[in-house]
Amino acid sequence: MIILIIGGSASQKLAANVAKELGETLCPLETKKFPDGERYVRIKGEVEKNVTVIQSTGFPQDENLIELLFILRTLKDLGAEHIKVVVPYLGYGRQELRFKDGEAISAQLVSNLIEESGADEFISINLHEDSVRDFFNIPTANLSAMAPIAEYIADKVENPIIIAPDKGALGFAEEIAEILGCNCTYMSKVRLGPDKVETRIVDVQCDFDSEDLDKVKKDSKVNIDSVAGKEAVIIDDIIATGGTIVNAIGILKEHGAKSVDVCCVHPVLVNDAVLKIMAAGARDLSSTDTLKSDVSSISVAKLIADALR
Ligand code: R5P
């Protein structure tokens, strides 16, 4: 079965790498902006029955989203019968609820638009809330990028301790700690505003010897004091302003971490986030390529290719 791969302008290189992994054809696509700012899309290749479209909808979110919708509708018009849509980073994915009266549930509308424009299957990576999948009536998958991230950490750090900078990231830290057979811990975070967070340490009860690997595998969570003299690696799904990570680095340094490396799945990286994180004392900052950035050195191409096979 021939599967045509199309990469939207936000995910061209990633789409090319996925096509390479699968040995499938990459379809040429022309996208541009008219002088008034409107988007133009033209699919330049022969459309197959089975098509996979790869397009993240990060910044500029509205433009990347509208481009994706144009691609989907055009593919259906041109005869595509089954379209798998891979949105490695789903913009608007963090507003899946009406937190305050009158708010738009943007994740719901975005999901509806993707489906109604022609998606037959939806695949994303580490959705901020897995419940976003409930907005779809088509098959969905929420892949985890923790395996490629763990592989990257294993190459760089000999004996890491994995740190979740908030409770929401604890599952990621545990996943990586389990793959690497190492310990992890987490912090507690209170968001005071879009660009301000307060972070505190959490007292994790641990009643086992951290050298006892069998027990560590059952429950790898340890107290923050365990970072003393260790190479700490912070893991989060998204880095936006960098505030969460800057706070976590400060706490790790205070508790005697030998070094602090930072990994995330989605490098949203608003304004001077990279600079703030490096200035706070990170040794390394790396992310996956769900979004293009200076630090997107861990590829999710194989992860996506495996899900498409
Ligand atoms: C929030 O729950 C996410 O997992 C990230 O921790 C958050 O998006 C990071 O935001 P910022 O970099 O602005 O602190």
Side-chain angles (χ1 to χ4, degrees):
M1 182 173 70
I2 302 167
I3 300 170
L4 191 67
I5 311 276
I6 299 190
S9 54
S11 304
Q12 290 178 10
K13 189 167 174 220
L14 179 58
N17 288 337
V18 172
K20 206 163 158 190
E21 285 280 345
L22 293 170
E24 298 288 357
T25 315
L26 195 60
C27 179
L29 173 78
E30 185 183 346
T31 64
K32 64 182 178 195
K33 240 199 245 182
F34 286 109
D36 62 359
E38 288 183 359
R39 204 93 182 157
Y40 170 91
V41 164
R42 181 177 168 217
I43 293 165
K44 291 172 88 179
E46 194 68 30
V47 172
E48 301 287 343
K49 284 185 180 156
N50 294 289
V51 185
T52 294
V53 180
I54 304 177
Q55 165 83 328
S56 273
T57 54
F59 184 81
Q61 293 85 347
D62 302 351
E63 288 185 20
N64 286 326
L65 175 65
I66 205 86
E67 182 186 301
L68 173 62
L69 303 179
F70 287 173
I71 294 170
L72 295 176
R73 181 55 57 90
T74 309
L75 283 169
K76 280 278 156 150
D77 289 348
L78 298 179
E81 286 176 7
H82 192 92
I83 306 177
K84 290 187 184 181
V85 181
V86 182
V87 185
Y89 173 75
L90 180 72
Y92 293 110
R94 281 183 278 181
Q95 180 91 37
E96 87 289 3
L97 291 174
R98 184 166 288 132
F99 300 102
K100 290 185 195 151
D101 289 350
E103 283 182 346
I105 307 174
S106 37
Q108 182 177 35
L109 181 60
V110 164
S111 306
N112 296 163
L113 287 170
I114 292 172
E115 182 169 337
E116 278 163 26
S117 299
D120 295 292
E121 276 181 59
F122 173 82
I123 299 171
S124 189
I125 299 178
N126 293 113
L127 283 164
H128 189 63
E129 290 300 337
D130 189 62
S131 58
V132 167
R133 293 167 65 195
D134 299 339
F135 295 138
F136 289 91
N137 300 299
I138 52 176
T140 60
N142 182 17
L143 309 178
S144 170
M146 294 313 133
I149 291 175
E151 201 179 311
Y152 177 86
I153 296 170
D155 278 350
K156 298 238 166 194
V157 188
E158 208 173 312
N159 187 17
I161 176 163
I162 313 298
I163 314 294
D166 58 31
K167 186 102 191 263
L170 178 58
F172 308 135
E174 287 179 322
E175 216 178 311
I176 293 178
E178 191 171 340
I179 297 171
L180 299 180
C182 67
N183 289 331
C184 66
T185 192
Y186 71 104
M187 297 171 186
S188 143
K189 180 179 91 181
V190 183
R191 184 163 287 284
L192 306 171
D195 54 1
K196 198 163 169 46
V197 289
E198 200 175 282
T199 311
R200 299 186 197 105
I201 60 165
V202 176
D203 276 329
V204 179
Q205 296 303 315
C206 75
D207 53 3
F208 54 83
D209 176 354
S210 63
E211 299 305 314
D212 183 342
L213 259 188
D214 280 348
K215 284 186 185 162
V216 168
K217 275 190 182 142
K218 274 190 214 119
D219 185 359
S220 58
K221 286 194 291 297
V222 294
N223 199 283
I224 189 77
D225 295 324
S226 306
V227 303
K230 286 275 182 59
E231 295 180 276
V233 181
I234 303 174
I235 176 72
D236 208 349
D237 58 345
I238 296 170
I239 299 178
T241 65
T244 301
I245 300 296
V246 167
N247 285 0
I249 293 173
I251 291 176
L252 293 170
K253 295 260 169 188
E254 273 167 31
H255 285 79
K258 187 166 123 195
S259 60
V260 183
D261 294 330
V262 180
C263 290
C264 77
V265 182
H266 309 297
V268 171
L269 301 175
V270 179
N271 299 328
D272 55 350
V274 173
L275 206 60
K276 282 198 304 206
I277 291 168
M278 298 315 285
R283 182 174 67 176
D284 179 47
L285 168 60
S286 41
S287 75
T288 78
D289 53 358
T290 59
L291 292 169
K292 292 184 276 191
S293 82
D294 290 347
V295 301
S296 303
S297 45
I298 307 167
S299 186
V300 288
K302 188 169 181 308
L303 180 75
I304 295 172
D306 288 345
L308 293 171
R309 273 185 236 276

